[in-house]
Structures are given as C-alpha cells and as structure tokens.
Amino acid sequence: MIKMIKRMLKFSSSKRNDLLASFIFSLLDSVFEMLPIMAILTVLSALLTAAEGGAMETSTIWISLGIMIVSIAGRIFFNNLSCVKRTLGSFAMCAQKRLEIGEHMKRVPMGYFSENRLGEIAAAATTTLGDIENNAVTVLERVAGGFIHAVVIGVWLLFYEWHIGLLMFAGLAVSMLVYAGIQRAAKRLSPKRQAAQANLVICFLEYIQGMGVVKAFGLGESASKAVDQAVRESAKANIALERTFSALTGVYQTVLRVSRAAILVIAPYLLLGGEITPVKCLLLLVSSFMLYSSVELVGSMASVARVIDASLDRIEAIMD
C-alpha cells in the first residue's frame, strides 16, 4: 500500500498537493465521526448517577447536544473539503496525463504505431485512466485512512481499558493478515482483468474502423468473432476477480465481526469481576459497533487498489 501511495503521488505530479489535502481532510472527518462517543459517555454517566439516587443536571443534555453539533458541523465541513479536493484533483490529474500522452505521441517514431495497435493507446487514455480517475484517491483515503483511524482508536482504548485495547489490536492484526492474502490474490488477477478490458477496447475499435470493409464484402459474422471473444474474456476475468474477492472479503469482515462480538462478551465479564465501572462497560458496549467501521470497507477496496496498480503499470508502459 505504501508503494502504491508513492506511485500515485509521483503520478499526480502538479496535483499532488490537492490529493494530499484530500487525504488530510478525510482523516479530520474521521476524527469528528468519533466525537459522538463523548456525547454517549456524558449521557451514560448522568443516567447512572441518576439511577443511584443522584440528580441528573440539565447541563448534561446541552453538553451532549453541543458535542453532537460540533461533530455534525465538523463532518460536513471536512467531508466537503475532502470531496472537492479529491474530485477536482483526480479529474485534473488524469486530464493532464491524457494531454501528456497526446504530446508524447506526436514525438514518437512512426514505427511505434505499426508495432503497437491503436486500440492499446486508446484503451490507456480512456478505460485505464478512467479507473484511476474514478477510484484511485478514494481507495487511498479508505484503505490508508481506515487503518490509521483504527490504530488511533486502538491506542485510545489501551489507555481507557487495556483489555479491550489489546483485543481490538488482536482483531486488527488478524484482519491485516487476511488483507495481505487479498492483496496477493489481487496481484495475480488484476493485471489479467486490465489486459482483458484493454483488449475489449482494442477489438471494438478495430471492428468499427474496419466497418466499411466488413459491409462491402459481407464479413459481418467473421469480423464479429473477435469482438465476441473479447467480451467473453473480459467477462471471465471480471467474474474470476469478483468471485475470489467476495470469498476473501467475507473472511476479512468475519474476523472483524468476531472481534466485535468478543468485546460484547468480555466487557460485561470485566464488569462482573469489578475491574471496570458500569459507565465504562456501557461505553465499551456502545462503541464496539463503531470501532471497526472504518476498517470494514478496506477489504472490499483491496481489489480496486490492485486494479489501480495495474492501471499505473499500463500508463507507464505507454509513456516509456
């Protein structure tokens, strides 16, 4: 993942600052996403105090409301900034790269075009760059940001209740092992999927360019065989990718959900043993549903991350 981040920053060239800003704003958005836990803690403390015969102060309501308002305002502000930087940065980055490819094509020897099919160049400038344009920055934010978010929460938990903190890190460690398996499978399958997609564009382009000859000599049936074969190969590559990742992503998410269930069991056990207070127990039970929220999506992004990696390979090959 670190290698892909470096490649993307190099690829983004003059738009690097926009992509970095998008990533930072996304992390700040995730910080404000966790603020409702503080509001929950405030209310739970007051409710338990009231249940033990104490008085629940009106200020508790206003404090928790204030925390929620800050959370919502912060999320709206930073999420909007992140989306703007990500969207405009991605489009500008790929527009710039398409122009670079166009300028590059003007200077290459004519022999290049006889040795390389026009469809390969067209596929790189359209489908391949389209994958980068639509997914690259989002994937980086979700994957890198998701793990960073989880580590920050885990560190906080270690100080708040070290038993649960250790349990969360154990679940995170196992999930990362599964994620590494997803990455290995992606490294094997993603280049095949990208090659099939590029071949599909090549065959359609050649078919359309030769339409005059096809009609003139009645070669419709034989000429369409290459297109039909390209469609089948593309479907086969995409289905193989999805089938593999559906299974691995299921394992990845199961690990995180089992870890969450373990927290729901251990927190009451610690309460019965007198090691934590009722307030702390209730907070851990409620927050357990939010602990892995940022990491759960990472598994489904693994295949897209490798597709982007393969796309970068194809663009670099064209530019070389």
Side-chain angles (χ1 to χ4, degrees):
M1 178 50 63
I2 294 175
K3 181 181 176 183
M4 197 184 86
I5 291 173
K6 289 180 179 179
R7 292 185 73 186
M8 274 302 303
L9 289 176
K10 182 180 178 181
F11 181 84
S12 58
S13 188
S14 63
K15 303 303 173 184
R16 181 181 306 174
N17 290 338
D18 286 341
L19 303 190
L20 286 173
S22 171
F23 181 69
I24 292 169
F25 290 141
S26 178
L27 288 180
L28 290 172
D29 173 48
S30 68
V31 171
F32 281 92
E33 185 183 3
M34 295 306 297
L35 279 182
I37 291 182
M38 294 178 61
I40 294 169
L41 177 60
T42 303
V43 174
L44 286 177
S45 300
L47 287 174
L48 288 173
T49 301
E52 293 171 357
M56 182 174 175
E57 298 180 3
T58 310
S59 60
T60 302
I61 300 171
W62 297 113
I63 291 171
S64 59
L65 178 61
I67 293 172
M68 292 302 295
I69 290 173
V70 170
S71 173
I72 293 169
R75 291 213 64 196
I76 290 172
F77 180 72
F78 286 111
N79 187 267
N80 180 63
L81 285 177
S82 177
C83 285
V84 169
K85 289 291 184 182
R86 177 176 65 246
T87 305
L88 297 183
S90 295
F91 283 130
M93 171 183 72
C94 290
Q96 185 181 53
K97 192 59 65 175
R98 288 186 175 100
L99 291 171
E100 286 179 16
I101 291 174
E103 289 298 317
H104 195 57
M105 291 299 106
K106 293 178 183 178
R107 296 190 298 272
V108 297
M110 288 304 295
Y112 174 85
F113 296 101
S114 61
E115 295 173 3
N116 297 270
R117 288 189 289 181
L118 181 60
E120 292 179 2
I121 303 168
T126 54
T127 309
T128 305
L129 272 172
D131 285 336
I132 297 173
E133 187 175 64
N134 295 321
N135 301 310
V137 183
T138 302
V139 169
L140 291 180
E141 287 179 1
R142 293 282 174 84
V143 176
F147 280 119
I148 291 172
H149 190 208
V151 169
V152 170
I153 296 171
V155 171
W156 173 78
L157 272 177
L158 283 174
F159 287 98
Y160 187 73
E161 175 47 54
W162 66 271
H163 299 90
I164 304 299
L166 287 177
L167 178 59
M168 183 193 172
F169 273 117
L172 191 61
V174 175
S175 71
M176 288 182 74
L177 290 175
V178 178
Y179 183 79
I182 296 175
Q183 289 288 290
R184 285 193 295 272
K187 191 174 183 179
R188 186 181 75 254
L189 295 172
S190 294
K192 296 178 182 178
R193 182 261 183 190
Q194 288 300 84
Q197 290 292 99
N199 187 53
L200 185 61
V201 175
I202 291 167
C203 289
F204 267 112
L205 191 59
E206 291 180 347
Y207 181 69
I208 292 168
Q209 286 177 326
M211 188 58 70
V213 176
V214 169
K215 287 188 173 183
F217 293 94
L219 301 174
E221 185 176 346
S222 59
S224 65
K225 286 182 180 178
V227 174
D228 293 340
Q229 181 63 25
V231 171
R232 285 193 293 270
E233 287 176 0
S234 178
K236 184 179 178 181
N238 277 283
I239 290 170
L241 190 71
E242 291 300 324
R243 183 179 288 121
T244 301
F245 283 104
S246 294
L248 290 173
T249 302
V251 174
Y252 176 85
Q253 292 183 343
T254 298
V255 169
L256 296 176
R257 288 167 186 172
V258 168
S259 301
R260 180 184 296 146
I263 295 173
L264 294 175
V265 173
I266 292 175
Y269 179 79
L270 293 173
L271 174 64
L272 292 174
E275 296 188 48
I276 61 175
T277 63
V279 172
K280 188 174 282 190
C281 178
L282 284 172
L283 179 63
L284 290 171
L285 293 178
V286 172
S287 62
S288 66
F289 291 95
M290 304 174 67
L291 296 180
Y292 293 113
S293 59
S294 60
V295 208
E296 280 195 10
L297 291 173
V298 171
S300 59
M301 290 286 175
S303 60
V304 186
R306 279 300 172 183
V307 165
I308 292 166
D309 217 25
S311 297
L312 290 172
D313 288 340
R314 295 187 68 83
I315 297 298
E316 288 173 3
I318 291 289
M319 295 302 288
D320 288 341

